[in-house]
Amino acid sequence: MTTDPIAADLAALFPAREAIPAEHRPQAAAYERLYLLDGRVRAWEGPLAEVPAAFSVREGDALVRPVVGRVPAMDEAAVLAALESCRRAWDEGRGDWPTRSVAERIAAVEKFTARMREAREEVVRLLMWEIGKTLEDSRKEFDRTVEYIGRTVEALKAMDRDYSRFAVDGGVVAQVRRAPLGVVLSMGPFNYPLNETYTTLLPALIMGNVVLVKPPRLGSLIHQPLLQAFAESFPPGVVNFIYGSGPEITPPLMQSGAVDVLAFIGSSKAATTLKKQHPRPHRLRGVLGLDAKNPALVMADADLDVAVRECVSGALSYNGQRCTALKILFVHESVAGPFLEKFSAAVAALPLGMPWEPGARITPLPGHGKAEAMAAYVRDAVERGARVVNPGGGQAAASLFRPAVLYPVAPGMKVYDVEQFGPVVPVCPYKDEEEFLAYVTASSSGQQVSLFGRDAEKIAGLIDLLANQVCRINLNAQCQRGPDTLPFAGRKDSAEGTLSISAALRSFSIRSLVAGKDDPEGRGLLQQIVAGRLSRYLRADYLG
């Protein structure tokens, strides 16, 4: 164990196993081996992959990372069997699920949501153990996901009402609706393994698609308490869950050519590899959330208290492990001193601890080697002329890493360009806003920026230039995804497609129309079909 006094203080924060409160211990053993295939929750008889906790526990003088549970380590044959189950359920668009009415699909999703609520506490416990998210944020992730599903249902009802009208133009009468796309491969991220998986999974399902879910390596157990709810709410094969090493099991899925939509949250490099493996690239639709190196600009006239509050939260919420996190701060040189003083004090005040401990803001980092990776960013910056300006910044014990504020950060340092995805905060002094604009323009990312200042004319000029570089400009506020009614998108390597409650429904569907001649015979045929309720697709129902 380390003898460094600060690192020793961090090490002391890890509990003995028996000291963990019973109410915060998950029942992971009840879900080991489970997967969902063809409408049944099954027990995997093959090899298993251990799921490590995000934190360590004390065993004598040693810190040992416990195993939360085990999930199937599937092979190619198993994942292709799951894919074939999806293909049968889709049946070239003729399956039970894709041909159900909108009302029937809504009823199935609402049934699932009711069952999902029953698993809240277990999913929350698994979020804390698997990815180190605080109890408060784990509950928020679960509740926000349930709310998102409910609002998706309401958005689909509104969309369906809009599409119930017939359009008449140029001698043609037509009804335009949205139809499903086919087989969706859904791959969510570790940092929001529930929310960002289900905000693509459920819109895809409710639009009539079938979905093959590959959970992330970190955050895989959280889905296990929900498998039975999926099995009881949807027809066989409409939802299948697979587990295993992504580089081993995703290539055969993509190479099959049977995947119609790739819903993926992760790195642009991984997304490019996946898309290149598909033999029919023009058939494949991508709904992708990718890299983001969101910068903040703190101008000379900024309210420093506001800027510090928003930048601390923006850079270090969930240890900075968010695609919308502020990952580099540009601060005008005239206010860099007072900004850093206030910012460092605010960072130092963030409580460190285990995810279930009240008030904990900085928690252990999930995955092996994450703290070491953060330390490497710090070393590189220091070797190239930066310094750690907050007391104890960059000290670590096991998976717990005290946030490091680096200044002055400049080109050539890794944290200047690379998305660090962790509790390292690079701060760059600047003289002229053109330096910030040049950085944003040259960046391969184009998700969001934050501007802190009070000069309306200057901010307006920046808005006009930045609107063609990023998809969201936050004024005196941190970068963020919500509220979910707003578009969530990105330029450059940051995204493909737009996600929000209504946009997700469009992303997982395509406009399809029925048209006839605007004459007595054409209108009569359409009226006969609609009045007789002969079609689930061509209709004039009102969904309330």
PDB file of all heavy atoms in Angstrom, residues 513-535:
ATOM      1  N   LEU A 513     -45.698   6.183 -47.403  1.00  0.00           N
ATOM      2  CA  LEU A 513     -47.018   6.745 -47.667  1.00  0.00           C
ATOM      3  C   LEU A 513     -47.843   5.832 -48.555  1.00  0.00           C
ATOM      4  O   LEU A 513     -47.328   5.002 -49.308  1.00  0.00           O
ATOM      5  CB  LEU A 513     -46.900   8.142 -48.282  1.00  0.00           C
ATOM      6  CG  LEU A 513     -46.151   8.287 -49.615  1.00  0.00           C
ATOM      7  CD1 LEU A 513     -47.104   8.212 -50.780  1.00  0.00           C
ATOM      8  CD2 LEU A 513     -45.379   9.607 -49.647  1.00  0.00           C
ATOM      9  N   VAL A 514     -49.140   6.001 -48.439  1.00  0.00           N
ATOM     10  CA  VAL A 514     -50.112   5.340 -49.301  1.00  0.00           C
ATOM     11  C   VAL A 514     -50.786   6.430 -50.118  1.00  0.00           C
ATOM     12  O   VAL A 514     -51.286   7.414 -49.559  1.00  0.00           O
ATOM     13  CB  VAL A 514     -51.160   4.568 -48.476  1.00  0.00           C
ATOM     14  CG1 VAL A 514     -52.183   3.910 -49.404  1.00  0.00           C
ATOM     15  CG2 VAL A 514     -50.483   3.521 -47.596  1.00  0.00           C
ATOM     16  N   ALA A 515     -50.792   6.292 -51.430  1.00  0.00           N
ATOM     17  CA  ALA A 515     -51.308   7.338 -52.302  1.00  0.00           C
ATOM     18  C   ALA A 515     -52.237   6.755 -53.364  1.00  0.00           C
ATOM     19  O   ALA A 515     -52.042   5.631 -53.834  1.00  0.00           O
ATOM     20  CB  ALA A 515     -50.158   8.083 -52.982  1.00  0.00           C
ATOM     21  N   GLY A 516     -53.253   7.506 -53.688  1.00  0.00           N
ATOM     22  CA  GLY A 516     -54.169   7.127 -54.757  1.00  0.00           C
ATOM     23  C   GLY A 516     -54.612   8.356 -55.514  1.00  0.00           C
ATOM     24  O   GLY A 516     -54.311   9.494 -55.132  1.00  0.00           O
ATOM     25  N   LYS A 517     -55.332   8.132 -56.589  1.00  0.00           N
ATOM     26  CA  LYS A 517     -55.808   9.259 -57.384  1.00  0.00           C
ATOM     27  C   LYS A 517     -56.939   9.975 -56.657  1.00  0.00           C
ATOM     28  O   LYS A 517     -57.784   9.339 -56.006  1.00  0.00           O
ATOM     29  CB  LYS A 517     -56.288   8.778 -58.750  1.00  0.00           C
ATOM     30  CG  LYS A 517     -55.150   8.357 -59.680  1.00  0.00           C
ATOM     31  CD  LYS A 517     -55.683   8.045 -61.059  1.00  0.00           C
ATOM     32  CE  LYS A 517     -54.546   7.694 -62.015  1.00  0.00           C
ATOM     33  NZ  LYS A 517     -53.614   8.824 -62.193  1.00  0.00           N
ATOM     34  N   ASP A 518     -56.929  11.282 -56.770  1.00  0.00           N
ATOM     35  CA  ASP A 518     -57.977  12.089 -56.156  1.00  0.00           C
ATOM     36  C   ASP A 518     -59.188  12.137 -57.082  1.00  0.00           C
ATOM     37  O   ASP A 518     -59.505  13.168 -57.694  1.00  0.00           O
ATOM     38  CB  ASP A 518     -57.443  13.494 -55.859  1.00  0.00           C
ATOM     39  CG  ASP A 518     -58.455  14.351 -55.114  1.00  0.00           C
ATOM     40  OD1 ASP A 518     -59.382  13.766 -54.501  1.00  0.00           O
ATOM     41  OD2 ASP A 518     -58.326  15.591 -55.146  1.00  0.00           O
ATOM     42  N   ASP A 519     -59.834  10.996 -57.212  1.00  0.00           N
ATOM     43  CA  ASP A 519     -61.062  10.901 -58.008  1.00  0.00           C
ATOM     44  C   ASP A 519     -62.039  10.026 -57.227  1.00  0.00           C
ATOM     45  O   ASP A 519     -61.688   9.430 -56.200  1.00  0.00           O
ATOM     46  CB  ASP A 519     -60.784  10.334 -59.397  1.00  0.00           C
ATOM     47  CG  ASP A 519     -60.117   8.974 -59.385  1.00  0.00           C
ATOM     48  OD1 ASP A 519     -60.269   8.244 -58.382  1.00  0.00           O
ATOM     49  OD2 ASP A 519     -59.443   8.623 -60.369  1.00  0.00           O
ATOM     50  N   PRO A 520     -63.269   9.930 -57.629  1.00  0.00           N
ATOM     51  CA  PRO A 520     -64.264   9.172 -56.851  1.00  0.00           C
ATOM     52  C   PRO A 520     -63.833   7.737 -56.552  1.00  0.00           C
ATOM     53  O   PRO A 520     -64.025   7.242 -55.436  1.00  0.00           O
ATOM     54  CB  PRO A 520     -65.511   9.220 -57.739  1.00  0.00           C
ATOM     55  CG  PRO A 520     -65.380  10.499 -58.497  1.00  0.00           C
ATOM     56  CD  PRO A 520     -63.907  10.639 -58.770  1.00  0.00           C
ATOM     57  N   GLU A 521     -63.243   7.080 -57.526  1.00  0.00           N
ATOM     58  CA  GLU A 521     -62.833   5.699 -57.305  1.00  0.00           C
ATOM     59  C   GLU A 521     -61.694   5.613 -56.292  1.00  0.00           C
ATOM     60  O   GLU A 521     -61.713   4.762 -55.385  1.00  0.00           O
ATOM     61  CB  GLU A 521     -62.422   5.058 -58.623  1.00  0.00           C
ATOM     62  CG  GLU A 521     -62.063   3.591 -58.488  1.00  0.00           C
ATOM     63  CD  GLU A 521     -61.725   2.940 -59.821  1.00  0.00           C
ATOM     64  OE1 GLU A 521     -61.856   3.612 -60.862  1.00  0.00           O
ATOM     65  OE2 GLU A 521     -61.326   1.760 -59.813  1.00  0.00           O
ATOM     66  N   GLY A 522     -60.687   6.474 -56.437  1.00  0.00           N
ATOM     67  CA  GLY A 522     -59.543   6.466 -55.523  1.00  0.00           C
ATOM     68  C   GLY A 522     -59.948   6.814 -54.109  1.00  0.00           C
ATOM     69  O   GLY A 522     -59.560   6.139 -53.143  1.00  0.00           O
ATOM     70  N   ARG A 523     -60.773   7.874 -53.971  1.00  0.00           N
ATOM     71  CA  ARG A 523     -61.221   8.268 -52.637  1.00  0.00           C
ATOM     72  C   ARG A 523     -62.119   7.205 -52.021  1.00  0.00           C
ATOM     73  O   ARG A 523     -62.059   6.938 -50.825  1.00  0.00           O
ATOM     74  CB  ARG A 523     -61.955   9.613 -52.706  1.00  0.00           C
ATOM     75  CG  ARG A 523     -61.056  10.798 -53.035  1.00  0.00           C
ATOM     76  CD  ARG A 523     -61.781  12.114 -52.786  1.00  0.00           C
ATOM     77  NE  ARG A 523     -62.979  12.234 -53.604  1.00  0.00           N
ATOM     78  CZ  ARG A 523     -63.027  12.751 -54.830  1.00  0.00           C
ATOM     79  NH1 ARG A 523     -61.907  13.210 -55.395  1.00  0.00           N
ATOM     80  NH2 ARG A 523     -64.176  12.846 -55.502  1.00  0.00           N
ATOM     81  N   GLY A 524     -62.913   6.578 -52.859  1.00  0.00           N
ATOM     82  CA  GLY A 524     -63.817   5.548 -52.361  1.00  0.00           C
ATOM     83  C   GLY A 524     -63.071   4.353 -51.792  1.00  0.00           C
ATOM     84  O   GLY A 524     -63.454   3.798 -50.754  1.00  0.00           O
ATOM     85  N   LEU A 525     -61.993   3.941 -52.475  1.00  0.00           N
ATOM     86  CA  LEU A 525     -61.207   2.813 -51.991  1.00  0.00           C
ATOM     87  C   LEU A 525     -60.551   3.144 -50.652  1.00  0.00           C
ATOM     88  O   LEU A 525     -60.588   2.338 -49.700  1.00  0.00           O
ATOM     89  CB  LEU A 525     -60.149   2.431 -53.025  1.00  0.00           C
ATOM     90  CG  LEU A 525     -59.197   1.292 -52.632  1.00  0.00           C
ATOM     91  CD1 LEU A 525     -59.993   0.015 -52.353  1.00  0.00           C
ATOM     92  CD2 LEU A 525     -58.151   1.076 -53.716  1.00  0.00           C
ATOM     93  N   LEU A 526     -59.967   4.333 -50.557  1.00  0.00           N
ATOM     94  CA  LEU A 526     -59.340   4.738 -49.306  1.00  0.00           C
ATOM     95  C   LEU A 526     -60.362   4.808 -48.178  1.00  0.00           C
ATOM     96  O   LEU A 526     -60.110   4.362 -47.053  1.00  0.00           O
ATOM     97  CB  LEU A 526     -58.640   6.092 -49.480  1.00  0.00           C
ATOM     98  CG  LEU A 526     -57.401   6.119 -50.381  1.00  0.00           C
ATOM     99  CD1 LEU A 526     -56.949   7.553 -50.621  1.00  0.00           C
ATOM    100  CD2 LEU A 526     -56.278   5.307 -49.773  1.00  0.00           C
ATOM    101  N   GLN A 527     -61.529   5.371 -48.488  1.00  0.00           N
ATOM    102  CA  GLN A 527     -62.560   5.497 -47.463  1.00  0.00           C
ATOM    103  C   GLN A 527     -63.046   4.126 -47.001  1.00  0.00           C
ATOM    104  O   GLN A 527     -63.284   3.906 -45.807  1.00  0.00           O
ATOM    105  CB  GLN A 527     -63.732   6.315 -48.009  1.00  0.00           C
ATOM    106  CG  GLN A 527     -64.808   6.586 -46.963  1.00  0.00           C
ATOM    107  CD  GLN A 527     -65.917   7.476 -47.509  1.00  0.00           C
ATOM    108  OE1 GLN A 527     -66.016   7.689 -48.713  1.00  0.00           O
ATOM    109  NE2 GLN A 527     -66.738   8.009 -46.626  1.00  0.00           N
ATOM    110  N   GLN A 528     -63.150   3.187 -47.928  1.00  0.00           N
ATOM    111  CA  GLN A 528     -63.602   1.845 -47.575  1.00  0.00           C
ATOM    112  C   GLN A 528     -62.617   1.171 -46.619  1.00  0.00           C
ATOM    113  O   GLN A 528     -63.020   0.528 -45.645  1.00  0.00           O
ATOM    114  CB  GLN A 528     -63.769   1.021 -48.853  1.00  0.00           C
ATOM    115  CG  GLN A 528     -64.330  -0.373 -48.616  1.00  0.00           C
ATOM    116  CD  GLN A 528     -64.487  -1.150 -49.911  1.00  0.00           C
ATOM    117  OE1 GLN A 528     -64.261  -0.623 -50.999  1.00  0.00           O
ATOM    118  NE2 GLN A 528     -64.864  -2.410 -49.797  1.00  0.00           N
ATOM    119  N   ILE A 529     -61.331   1.331 -46.888  1.00  0.00           N
ATOM    120  CA  ILE A 529     -60.308   0.727 -46.035  1.00  0.00           C
ATOM    121  C   ILE A 529     -60.316   1.356 -44.646  1.00  0.00           C
ATOM    122  O   ILE A 529     -60.276   0.652 -43.623  1.00  0.00           O
ATOM    123  CB  ILE A 529     -58.917   0.866 -46.684  1.00  0.00           C
ATOM    124  CG1 ILE A 529     -58.847   0.032 -47.969  1.00  0.00           C
ATOM    125  CG2 ILE A 529     -57.813   0.439 -45.704  1.00  0.00           C
ATOM    126  CD1 ILE A 529     -57.583   0.280 -48.784  1.00  0.00           C
ATOM    127  N   VAL A 530     -60.391   2.699 -44.616  1.00  0.00           N
ATOM    128  CA  VAL A 530     -60.327   3.393 -43.331  1.00  0.00           C
ATOM    129  C   VAL A 530     -61.607   3.158 -42.521  1.00  0.00           C
ATOM    130  O   VAL A 530     -61.546   2.820 -41.325  1.00  0.00           O
ATOM    131  CB  VAL A 530     -60.089   4.903 -43.552  1.00  0.00           C
ATOM    132  CG1 VAL A 530     -60.244   5.660 -42.242  1.00  0.00           C
ATOM    133  CG2 VAL A 530     -58.701   5.142 -44.139  1.00  0.00           C
ATOM    134  N   ALA A 531     -62.767   3.304 -43.149  1.00  0.00           N
ATOM    135  CA  ALA A 531     -64.032   3.152 -42.430  1.00  0.00           C
ATOM    136  C   ALA A 531     -64.218   1.730 -41.916  1.00  0.00           C
ATOM    137  O   ALA A 531     -64.772   1.514 -40.824  1.00  0.00           O
ATOM    138  CB  ALA A 531     -65.200   3.551 -43.337  1.00  0.00           C
ATOM    139  N   GLY A 532     -63.718   0.757 -42.682  1.00  0.00           N
ATOM    140  CA  GLY A 532     -63.856  -0.627 -42.267  1.00  0.00           C
ATOM    141  C   GLY A 532     -62.750  -1.111 -41.351  1.00  0.00           C
ATOM    142  O   GLY A 532     -62.746  -2.289 -40.961  1.00  0.00           O
ATOM    143  N   ARG A 533     -61.820  -0.222 -41.019  1.00  0.00           N
ATOM    144  CA  ARG A 533     -60.672  -0.583 -40.180  1.00  0.00           C
ATOM    145  C   ARG A 533     -59.985  -1.852 -40.707  1.00  0.00           C
ATOM    146  O   ARG A 533     -59.651  -2.772 -39.960  1.00  0.00           O
ATOM    147  CB  ARG A 533     -61.096  -0.787 -38.724  1.00  0.00           C
ATOM    148  CG  ARG A 533     -61.623   0.479 -38.056  1.00  0.00           C
ATOM    149  CD  ARG A 533     -62.047   0.206 -36.625  1.00  0.00           C
ATOM    150  NE  ARG A 533     -62.532   1.407 -35.972  1.00  0.00           N
ATOM    151  CZ  ARG A 533     -61.785   2.286 -35.312  1.00  0.00           C
ATOM    152  NH1 ARG A 533     -60.479   2.079 -35.237  1.00  0.00           N
ATOM    153  NH2 ARG A 533     -62.318   3.343 -34.742  1.00  0.00           N
ATOM    154  N   LEU A 534     -59.779  -1.850 -42.010  1.00  0.00           N
ATOM    155  CA  LEU A 534     -59.203  -3.017 -42.659  1.00  0.00           C
ATOM    156  C   LEU A 534     -57.682  -3.050 -42.595  1.00  0.00           C
ATOM    157  O   LEU A 534     -57.081  -4.092 -42.837  1.00  0.00           O
ATOM    158  CB  LEU A 534     -59.661  -3.060 -44.135  1.00  0.00           C
ATOM    159  CG  LEU A 534     -61.179  -3.069 -44.367  1.00  0.00           C
ATOM    160  CD1 LEU A 534     -61.487  -3.067 -45.857  1.00  0.00           C
ATOM    161  CD2 LEU A 534     -61.814  -4.263 -43.670  1.00  0.00           C
ATOM    162  N   SER A 535     -57.053  -1.916 -42.277  1.00  0.00           N
ATOM    163  CA  SER A 535     -55.590  -1.821 -42.241  1.00  0.00           C
ATOM    164  C   SER A 535     -55.142  -1.241 -40.907  1.00  0.00           C
ATOM    165  O   SER A 535     -55.768  -0.318 -40.375  1.00  0.00           O
ATOM    166  CB  SER A 535     -55.082  -0.937 -43.388  1.00  0.00           C
ATOM    167  OG  SER A 535     -53.706  -0.657 -43.246  1.00  0.00           O
TER     168      SER A 535
END
